[in-house]
Amino acid sequence: LVDANEQEEALRLFHERGMLIHLTATETLRNIIILKPGWLIDALSMVIRDDELHQYDMKDIHIHGLVADFQLLKNKALVTRDFLEYVWKEEYTDFFLDFMKRTMLLSDWDFGNRKGDRFLVPSLLKVRSKVTKSDSEEGIQCIFDFSASFLPNGVFQRLLCLFIAHSASFRSENEDNICKEPSLFKCSGSIEYQPGSVIHLLEDSERQRILVHIEEKKLARRILGIIRSMLQKLNNDVMSGGLKWNILVQGQISGNGEQSIMIEFSEAMKQSLSPWCDADENSNEINIFHSHGTDLEIFLKNL
């Protein structure tokens, strides 16, 4: 095949039939063609796996001095580069890392004093025994409701991945003013959007929705725009546009005190409901429709 369009069509067909892997969401992914999908799956399963069913060779891990690295992965879902090079036998480590980042299976863990050698694998996070919406009664909520279709496994963890990548990249002129280490579990997370500004995320798999609690109301519009952009990004890049959701935001009605209600975001826009429609003087409006085809690093920098 000489014609570029015919080549793309052939690759799309082979990809759909599982004969090869060819993702087209970004230029970087478009340039990667994996002829043996099993090879990639085997490599990813060396990291993303159920340790109870597929155990590592602990004797060999001990010989290589990676016991602490293994415990970090098992207990905190954090993997070191040394451990990745061990399981991948130092072959194609940079490629696998880049692929996992761009498909939102892994993100840099740039918290604390150690930087650049640890990565979060959110699918390996522990399940929290008791989940609450937030430890704070202050703030405001919104809901991303997928119940009209469904919320696939892994979408929430990929959203956490994007938030961690965004939070960890936050830097100010004061080097000490860096986001604190987030508190993360498989279906929930408390993350600083910026130093001192915490958001709480919760996956409600039974009702097929993601709940967001924003502690600072003045950031409501900004956070809502960022989450919309992130969901659109992962929908375009890894879900082939199959995700469908509806947005509900917290409003208030007068009466004996103020009673919170959840209303459609489209209705909130018509009412210019505060704080969801308040002007944001500190940042440009996010255009969620421009994330398709955008490199992940560029996308995160522009949030």
Side-chain angles (χ1 to χ4, degrees):
L1 297 178
V2 178
D3 183 75
N5 291 330
E6 291 181 350
Q7 292 174 358
E8 288 294 326
E9 184 62 23
L11 288 170
R12 183 189 64 79
L13 178 63
F14 291 146
H15 174 80
E16 290 177 351
R17 295 188 176 183
M19 300 173 65
L20 52 76
I21 295 177
H22 184 229
L23 303 176
T24 61
T26 67
E27 188 65 29
T28 299
L29 291 175
R30 194 177 297 114
N31 289 332
I32 299 172
I33 302 172
I34 299 171
L35 299 178
K36 295 182 179 180
W39 171 76
L40 178 63
I41 293 170
D42 289 343
L44 299 183
S45 67
M46 295 303 296
V47 182
I48 303 175
R49 63 198 296 174
D50 186 338
D51 186 48
E52 298 298 323
L53 297 176
H54 307 283
Q55 297 183 358
Y56 290 100
D57 185 342
M58 292 307 301
K59 182 177 179 181
D60 196 52
I61 286 176
H62 181 77
I63 291 173
H64 284 82
L66 294 171
V67 174
D69 301 67
F70 168 76
Q71 293 297 333
L72 188 67
L73 177 62
K74 181 178 181 180
N75 297 328
K76 293 189 174 183
L78 296 177
V79 64
T80 63
R81 186 179 179 93
D82 287 343
F83 194 82
L84 291 175
E85 290 182 344
Y86 164 74
V87 297
W88 289 331
K89 304 185 186 304
E90 299 186 11
E91 292 184 336
Y92 307 107
T93 300
D94 289 333
F95 166 76
F96 290 136
L97 269 172
D98 189 52
F99 182 87
M100 291 184 72
K101 286 180 183 179
R102 295 180 189 282
T103 52
M104 304 163 207
L105 295 172
L106 169 150
S107 66
D108 291 307
W109 185 261
D110 198 7
F111 298 94
N113 295 324
R114 300 184 63 170
K115 301 176 182 178
D117 66 342
R118 291 186 180 182
F119 309 91
L120 173 71
V121 187
S123 59
L124 299 180
L125 288 165
K126 299 291 186 182
V127 176
R128 193 173 186 177
S129 58
K130 183 179 180 181
V131 179
T132 57
K133 289 184 296 185
S134 168
D135 295 329
S136 172
E137 295 183 357
E138 299 296 326
I140 197 164
Q141 298 180 55
C142 62
I143 296 172
F144 290 81
D145 183 9
F146 297 80
S147 61
S149 53
F150 71 107
L151 178 59
N153 291 333
V155 168
F156 181 77
Q157 288 73 33
R158 281 184 160 102
L159 181 61
L160 285 181
C161 215
L162 287 174
F163 255 107
I164 292 305
H166 180 266
S167 178
S169 66
F170 183 90
R171 292 292 179 269
S172 66
E173 294 182 2
N174 183 356
E175 191 64 26
D176 295 329
N177 196 20
I178 298 174
C179 292
K180 295 179 181 178
E181 184 171 317
S183 174
L184 300 175
F185 297 88
K186 198 174 192 69
C187 297
S188 65
S190 296
I191 307 168
E192 282 192 330
Y193 159 67
Q194 60 190 32
S197 302
V198 180
I199 63 170
H200 306 273
L201 302 166
L202 172 65
E203 180 185 18
D204 183 349
S205 56
E206 183 176 343
R207 300 180 68 178
Q208 295 286 286
R209 61 185 191 173
I210 295 173
L211 291 81
V212 182
H213 183 96
I214 306 164
E215 290 193 359
E216 289 193 56
K217 291 183 180 181
K218 66 181 181 180
L219 294 175
R221 177 179 180 175
R222 181 68 178 156
I223 298 299
L224 179 62
I226 286 176
I227 297 176
R228 292 175 71 196
S229 293
M230 288 181 172
L231 284 174
Q232 193 64 55
K233 178 65 174 172
L234 71 88
N235 193 26
N236 290 333
D237 285 15
V238 298
M239 301 302 297
S240 300
L243 292 179
K244 308 295 181 184
W245 63 85
N246 188 34
I247 302 174
L248 302 172
V249 297
Q250 183 179 344
Q252 290 182 333
I253 58 175
S254 300
N256 297 327
E258 290 188 329
Q259 180 183 358
S260 296
I261 59 172
M262 303 303 293
I263 66 174
E264 299 274 353
F265 179 60
S266 57
E267 183 61 30
M269 292 288 288
K270 292 177 184 178
Q271 298 178 17
S272 297
L273 185 67
S274 179
W276 305 107
C277 301
D278 292 347
D280 187 349
E281 298 178 354
N282 297 321
S283 59
N284 296 324
E285 185 71 17
I286 297 175
N287 190 335
I288 66 170
F289 302 106
H290 287 172
S291 64
H292 184 65
T294 304
D295 182 82
L296 183 59
E297 292 182 4
I298 297 175
F299 169 76
L300 291 170
K301 287 180 180 179
N302 283 278
L303 285 179

